[in-house]
Amino acid sequence: MTPYTDFTFFLLAAVALIPTMVLLAAGRPARWYNLFVSLLFLGLIFYGNAEALLFLGGYLIWQYLLIRGYLAVRKNGKSFPLFALSIVLSIAPLIWVKLVPLLQVKHGVGFLGISYLTFKAVQILIETHDGQIKEVKLRAYLSFLIFFPTLTSGPIDRYRRFLKDEEQPPDKAACKELFYAGINRIFRGFLYKFIIAYLINAYWLHLPLHQTKTAFSALSYMYAYSLYLFFDFAGYSAFAVGLSYLMGIRTPENFNKPFLSRNIKEFWNRWHMSLSFWFRDYVYMRIVFFLTKRKTIADKFVISALGYLALFLLMGIWHGLQLHYIVYGLYHALLMIGFEFFAQRSGWADRWKTRFPMHLLSVIVTFHFVCFGLLIFSGWLF
């Protein structure tokens, strides 16, 4: 069973979450029952795929042993070599899954959602290294990693934030508001994914026109694919957030009207936000801090540019090792570097912030830069 693709999934989820909602409405935590539901849906999602389920089980044990091992090391002080080794070992299963198709090796490993689980596991290791996480119990670890609404495609939550929601159920008024917001997002998900995205996919994206490589077909496909990708993924994310709310977990939003962004930096603060914020916090900021602390480069703009280059190249590779994903990452790195240069060193930088004509023009220009990037991402040009 693939999450959020048929009504059977939603019917089973609705029935399974009734006890959770009753517990939360009574002011009692539902963490143990939520874990049971996640394990139940884990079985349903991977039913008939014993190899994937076995790999997932081994993956969860592997990550837990790494986290527990580094926790023991961290109690005796920081050890950067062991921390770096732990990170490499944590992402090793994901690297293997990404590499195997390119190596054309027949294999039966991997499972749906391995990328998002790896983000969560790495985040725990990083915050353990920083001293923000001092204990990881097995139940909390499993509840966080295999939380079924976000298992396959996010949004990417943070361990300490997730546990806070688990341990502190909302009061009666907040619970009512949370349930209302959750149901609202689920209906939004139906509108986005099963109506708008479906219509774009059926009547625009797959037009015979797009089989030919002309300027007009490229433009048409660019708009169709960009809108389809947004409504399909935003619909999925709305489902995930909505079900999370019904389980008492305020999973972070993934989209905030990204096509109304005035510049590329604002776009990445609105598009796939949990992913972009993860890369910002754990890749970009750490590279900038490291280079600034070392004082090997004096120019802050150059430091920022190197951070963006590493961030978006890594983001592109995370999507896949195919050429179009790597080009997509480099494209956005150049856009961010170019915007930072414009914002810091151009006399026009403040005009689009306050004047309506410039605001409108900047939205239109940003939209087209973004759509061209998504055309690269789609692989249609390659």
Side-chain angles (χ1 to χ4, degrees), residues 311-359:
L311 184 157
F312 284 103
L313 184 58
L314 186 60
M315 187 182 288
I317 291 172
W318 169 73
H319 283 99
L321 296 174
Q322 293 83 353
L323 180 60
H324 58 280
Y325 291 131
I326 296 172
V327 174
Y328 171 78
L330 291 173
Y331 171 78
H332 271 284
L334 291 175
L335 286 183
M336 287 293 285
I337 294 168
F339 172 73
E340 285 294 328
F341 181 85
F342 169 80
Q344 293 178 21
R345 307 188 182 187
S346 170
W348 288 78
D350 293 329
R351 297 190 180 185
W352 47 262
K353 294 181 180 179
T354 55
R355 300 182 181 181
F356 176 75
M358 291 300 293
H359 183 133

Side-chain angles (χ1 to χ4, degrees), residues 243-261:
L243 287 183
S244 298
Y245 283 7
L246 298 185
M247 297 175 75
I249 304 297
R250 295 175 178 84
T251 292
E253 298 283 356
N254 239 358
F255 295 92
N256 180 23
K257 302 174 184 176
F259 291 143
L260 296 181
S261 303

Side-chain angles (χ1 to χ4, degrees), residues 41-67:
F41 273 86
L42 205 67
L44 292 173
I45 291 168
F46 293 102
Y47 178 76
N49 192 345
E51 289 181 337
L53 194 58
L54 185 64
F55 187 81
L56 172 60
Y59 174 91
L60 292 171
I61 294 170
W62 173 251
Q63 297 290 356
Y64 186 65
L65 291 176
L66 283 174
I67 291 168

Side-chain angles (χ1 to χ4, degrees), residues 90-326:
S90 181
I91 64 176
L94 176 61
I95 293 173
W96 170 248
V97 169
K98 295 287 186 181
L99 278 176
V100 162
L102 294 181
L103 298 175
Q104 297 183 342
V105 178
K106 187 176 181 181
H107 71 105
V109 300
F111 56 88
L112 192 64
I114 186 171
S115 295
Y116 289 91
L117 265 64
T118 302
F119 279 121
K120 291 181 176 183
V122 169
Q123 179 248 319
I124 294 175
L125 283 170
I126 292 173
E127 294 197 354
T128 298
H129 177 73
D130 293 345
Q132 297 172 328
I133 295 176
K134 301 184 184 299
E135 184 182 30
V136 178
K137 294 182 179 179
L138 180 59
R139 184 210 58 79
Y141 162 81
L142 285 175
S143 296
F144 176 62
L145 244 68
I146 65 170
F147 186 58
F148 92 89
T150 64
L151 178 68
T152 55
S153 297
I156 306 165
D157 208 344
R158 305 294 173 94
Y159 181 73
R160 289 178 297 145
R161 200 219 62 75
F162 179 89
L163 256 60
K164 184 178 179 181
D165 280 357
E166 269 204 330
E167 299 297 330
Q168 299 176 1
D171 59 34
K172 186 171 291 187
C175 189
K176 182 179 179 181
E177 185 177 336
L178 199 61
F179 288 168
Y180 174 80
I183 293 170
N184 178 274
R185 279 160 178 76
I186 291 171
F187 276 103
R188 184 192 302 173
F190 279 113
L191 172 64
Y192 280 11
K193 186 174 178 66
F194 290 118
I195 299 178
I196 300 177
Y198 170 80
L199 292 174
I200 293 172
N201 184 54
Y203 298 104
W204 188 3
L205 189 61
H206 289 101
L207 287 175
L209 165 71
H210 298 147
Q211 302 301 316
T212 61
K213 297 294 178 75
T214 66
F216 181 74
S217 63
L219 195 65
S220 174
Y221 188 85
M222 180 181 79
Y223 290 135
Y225 181 79
S226 298
L227 293 173
Y228 168 76
L229 185 65
F230 166 71
F231 283 109
D232 184 71
F233 196 16
Y236 162 84
S237 296
F239 287 139
V241 171
L243 287 183
S244 298
Y245 283 7
L246 298 185
M247 297 175 75
I249 304 297
R250 295 175 178 84
T251 292
E253 298 283 356
N254 239 358
F255 295 92
N256 180 23
K257 302 174 184 176
F259 291 143
L260 296 181
S261 303
R262 297 170 297 173
N263 56 70
I264 196 65
K265 189 172 185 178
E266 184 179 327
F267 170 78
W268 280 109
N269 286 328
R270 291 166 172 258
W271 174 275
H272 204 168
M273 294 185 291
S274 65
L275 176 69
S276 62
F277 293 166
W278 193 98
F279 274 104
R280 179 199 66 191
D281 295 344
Y282 299 119
V283 178
Y284 174 79
M285 294 302 296
R286 289 169 187 270
I287 290 173
V288 169
F289 176 77
F290 175 79
L291 293 176
T292 302
K293 187 178 180 181
R294 280 296 188 92
K295 298 181 179 179
T296 52
I297 302 173
D299 193 325
K300 292 183 179 180
F301 173 75
V302 174
I303 292 175
S304 179
L306 290 173
Y308 283 130
L309 188 62
L311 184 157
F312 284 103
L313 184 58
L314 186 60
M315 187 182 288
I317 291 172
W318 169 73
H319 283 99
L321 296 174
Q322 293 83 353
L323 180 60
H324 58 280
Y325 291 131
I326 296 172

